[in-house]
Structures are given as C-alpha cells and as structure tokens.
Amino acid sequence: MKRYYCQCKQEIFFNNAFCEKCGRDLIYDPKAQTMWSGVLTDHGFVTHTNMALPGDEPMVLRPCANRQSSILCNWSVSSEHDTQCISCKTTRIIPDQSITKNNQRWLTLERAKRQLISSLISLNLPIENYHQKTGGLAFDFLEDQRSNPNVALEHVLTGHSNGTITLNAAEADEGFLHTMKEEMGEPYRTILGHFRHEVGHYYWAILLQDESQLKAFRELFGDERQDYQQALERYYQQEKPKFKSSQFITHYASSHPHEDWAETWAHYLHIVDTLETAVSYGLSSYEPKINDFNSWFSEWARVAQIMNALNRSMGLNDAYPFVLTEIVRSKLAFIDSLIDGFASYKK
C-alpha cells in the first residue's frame, strides 16, 4: 500500500473516511490511485489538494453510495452514471444485515476486497463486473448454519466459478478464522489471501490467451486438463506431513495445476503490495518497471528478510516463512511476464 497524508500533514490510511487530526473528509480516487482531502457536500466530494501533487486545483468527485452504509466505503465512483465504486459494484450477495454481527463482517470483507481491487488496478488488469458481462467478477458473501442456524446452507466453501467468487462471511470473525486455520493447517490463512487466491482463477482464463502460453504454463505448473475433483479428493485423503516440497509454494498448491497457479498468483500479489508498502515507508528504494523481474525478486528477498527479523525481535513467527525455490521463482516470473505483456498490449 502507498503512504498518504492529509492536507494538514497528518498521516492517513487507505480505509480512512476522515482525518482524525483536522476532521477533513477523505476519499480514495481509484482512477488516480491516490487519496484526496476535502469536504463532502450535497453536490459531491469537493477536494482541496491531491496529497501527491500539492497545488492542484480543487475538483469534485462523487462518493460511492456505500459511504453511508455499514461498510463505510471511502472510494469515489468512476463516472457520473455510477452510484457505486468499482469495488462495490462487484459485490452480488451480502450477509443478512438485520443481524448485527453481519455489519462488521461485511465491513471487514469489503475492506479486504478494496485492497485487492486497488492492486489489480495498479497492475493494469481488467476489472469487469457481472453487470458488464457474463462471467464478470462477482463476490457472494454467504452464511451457513455454523454461524447462522436460520439459513439453508449447511456448509459454505470458498471458491471460484465462472467469475463468481464465494466466501464464507463468518471468516471475517477472528474466532472462526482461527478455527479454520487449525482445521485446514493454514496458519497464514487470511481474508485478503482468499481474495487474492480466488481472483487468480479468474485471471487464468484472461491472461492465457494462446497455445504457446498454455504450453509454457503446463511445463511449469502441470497439465490443468487432469480431473479437478479427483485431484482434490486425492489431496484431502492423503496424510499431510510437514511440507518440504521444492516444487510448490504451499502444500495446497500441490493438489492440482489450477491450485498451484492460484497459490502462486496470491503470493505474487502479496509481494507486489508488501513491496509497495516497504517503498512507501522507506524500507526499499525499488521502482517498479516492466520486464524487471530479477530486480523485483531480489528486492523482495531483502525486504522479506527484514520483515522476518523484525517479527523475531518481537517474539513472533516469521511474517513470510515461505521458501521461494528456483522452480517457484520460475512460476512467479511466468505470472509476471503475463501481467507485463498484457499491460503493454493494452497500452
């Protein structure tokens, strides 16, 4: 994430709707990828100055309609015809808001999703929602009987199907998430990690557009045409000793080539976002460039080492304990080349 400041010089954060020091209203502009300070009026959000470009003339932005809802969305809409921002427009189903706990769940889910969407925008990836096309991005935040006995579903599984990403809303609860971490053996399980993983499935079909790319994919990840359900059944039936494979970034990545891609994609987004944060806070001087994977990867290794050392100083587990072997590095490089190639093509 980038670092932002209000006009009064107070540091502000990505989800802030107002400055806690001076009281100015704040809005995130996804087109400019920056935060603005100003005043929320009946005619829209009137900005003072762009924090990145002092001296800019004031402008008027229209806030997302969900600014006044439970999720306190602080984004602006993309056009005068929109009522919701680019992130909120991808949400299709929300948990029952008549249940008080679901207000906080929806807030937590949407904040993580906005962070995801912000990363996708910065990478110049296409974001088309389910209103725009069949198979466009849609997020369904569902409940099951473990958290709400009044619903019909007994068990909601996180997953992706034809652009629709389903997430169990209860994972927004720390207690439920901790239980799932224990049951699934995934100590680094997070809402944002779910979003990044599942959206990887969505972009697989978008970025791999010809036979040469599919061939390269299969050489690295394996043949995705193998039966998916059978592969997952084998994975969940096997014993899971401490994972030491050099071929996969996580144990789950070994279940099927599609899951290997999605897990590697999620880590790619982890690295992109965390490295941007490191640059913003002066821990790194890396400048993103097209076709600069080697420098990017080397800088990440350095920053990850610092992160882990800081955690150990606090008596905590490593922030990033994953081993990026040469095989995993090649998979990350493949994803990087696809994204760079797509971005260059669209320009």
Side-chain angles (χ1 to χ4, degrees), residues 2 28-34 36 50 59 61 75-80 82 86 118 121-122 124:
K2 294 177 181 177
Y28 182 78
D29 181 353
K31 281 187 174 181
Q33 298 178 59
T34 192
W36 300 76
N50 182 323
M59 60 184 294
L61 297 172
W75 282 29
S76 65
V77 300
S78 300
S79 75
E80 62 181 14
D82 293 324
I86 188 173
S118 177
I121 292 171
S122 70
N124 295 309

Side-chain angles (χ1 to χ4, degrees), residues 34-91:
T34 192
M35 293 279 284
W36 300 76
S37 66
V39 178
L40 190 60
T41 72
D42 293 338
H43 303 290
F45 190 100
V46 181
T47 69
H48 290 311
T49 63
N50 182 323
M51 268 65 81
L53 301 170
D56 277 6
E57 290 297 319
M59 60 184 294
V60 178
L61 297 172
R62 294 183 61 236
C64 177
N66 279 332
R67 190 180 182 98
Q68 306 301 325
S69 74
S70 300
I71 65 172
L72 305 174
C73 179
N74 67 336
W75 282 29
S76 65
V77 300
S78 300
S79 75
E80 62 181 14
H81 304 293
D82 293 324
T83 58
Q84 293 184 331
C85 71
I86 188 173
S87 178
C88 287
K89 284 195 295 185
T90 63
T91 300

Side-chain angles (χ1 to χ4, degrees), residues 205-225:
I206 292 174
L207 294 179
L208 278 80
Q209 299 180 328
D210 58 47
E211 284 300 319
S212 64
Q213 291 173 330
L214 272 175
K215 180 181 178 182
F217 169 85
R218 288 166 184 160
E219 289 175 354
L220 283 169
F221 295 88
D223 193 336
E224 83 289 351
R225 293 168 294 188

